Amino acid sequence: MQKLIEFIGNHPLLVGAFLAVFIYIVISEFRRKSGSQQIGVKDAVRIINDENAIILDIREPGDYKAGHIINAKNIPASRLGEEAGNLSADKNRPVIVYCKSGLNSQPACGKLREAGYSRVYCLKNGLYGWQEENMPIQK
């Protein structure tokens, strides 16, 4: 124990770097397991166009009718646990989940991962981020 304390005292930068990397790995692993991989609008558009991604709006039906991303399916977050299995027969097809601001979509991504979907993404900043990039919405 004495040698460990002496090592830490003699190499504070090395120990600090080790702790920073360790914390980064723990946080990254936690995010990966919780299904909260976030992507920006540009990456979302690429995945939608190149890989025929499913776009999932988890807001309430009234909010969905007021404006949503073109071709988005609407399953409110409160019903996602029951209806997640009906989203697609292909569980490897990418799913992009969004809500109003991006905060509620992370737990929904976790539910989809639990339902067996392997490629689940949360749209960073939700519909606000989409509109901020001047992307089209459907009313």
Side-chain angles (χ1 to χ4, degrees), residues 10-11 32 34 61 97 125 127 138:
N10 290 336
H11 304 286
R32 186 183 69 79
S34 68
V97 180
N125 299 323
L127 190 60
Q138 182 176 7

Side-chain angles (χ1 to χ4, degrees), residues 17-36:
F18 171 77
L19 290 175
V21 169
F22 179 76
I23 290 169
Y24 175 78
I25 290 170
V26 168
I27 290 171
S28 296
E29 188 65 18
F30 176 74
R31 284 185 177 171
R32 186 183 69 79
K33 288 194 182 261
S34 68
S36 62

Side-chain angles (χ1 to χ4, degrees), residues 39-79:
I39 59 171
V41 173
K42 291 178 184 177
D43 289 330
V45 169
R46 182 189 54 76
I47 293 170
I48 292 166
N49 291 335
D50 295 349
E51 302 179 45
N52 193 27
I54 298 168
I55 310 161
L56 180 61
D57 186 324
I58 60 164
R59 300 174 301 150
E60 292 300 316
D63 295 330
Y64 176 81
K65 289 177 185 173
H68 58 274
I69 296 174
I70 297 170
N71 296 326
K73 295 181 180 185
N74 179 233
I75 301 176
S78 59
R79 294 193 344 241

